[in-house]
Amino acid sequence: MFINLSEINNDLTICYSLKLELVDFYSKSTIDNAKVNLEHLICNCIDTNIEKV
């Protein structure tokens, strides 16, 4: 049975999207662009306004 995350909770959908961004960061960042990519990832996490658990 497949359940769409957005039907359960919007915060879960956002968190899953951030998880995918983190995977992209690890797989696509190089020594030359890691700082910029990490700053972008951190900003995206902060911008979600999801409560810490």
Side-chain angles (χ1 to χ4, degrees):
M1 174 193 318
F2 176 77
I3 299 174
N4 188 346
L5 287 177
S6 63
E7 293 174 4
I8 298 172
N9 186 318
N10 189 50
D11 286 351
L12 286 176
T13 305
I14 294 168
C15 289
Y16 186 75
S17 175
L18 290 172
K19 180 251 183 199
L20 294 176
E21 286 186 45
L22 180 61
V23 170
D24 279 348
F25 170 78
Y26 283 126
S27 63
K28 296 178 181 175
S29 292
T30 65
I31 194 75
D32 297 324
N33 64 14
K35 182 179 179 185
V36 171
N37 291 348
L38 182 58
E39 289 171 350
H40 179 74
L41 180 61
I42 290 170
C43 287
N44 286 348
C45 290
I46 292 170
D47 290 344
T48 63
N49 294 321
I50 294 176
E51 288 184 38
K52 295 179 183 176
V53 225

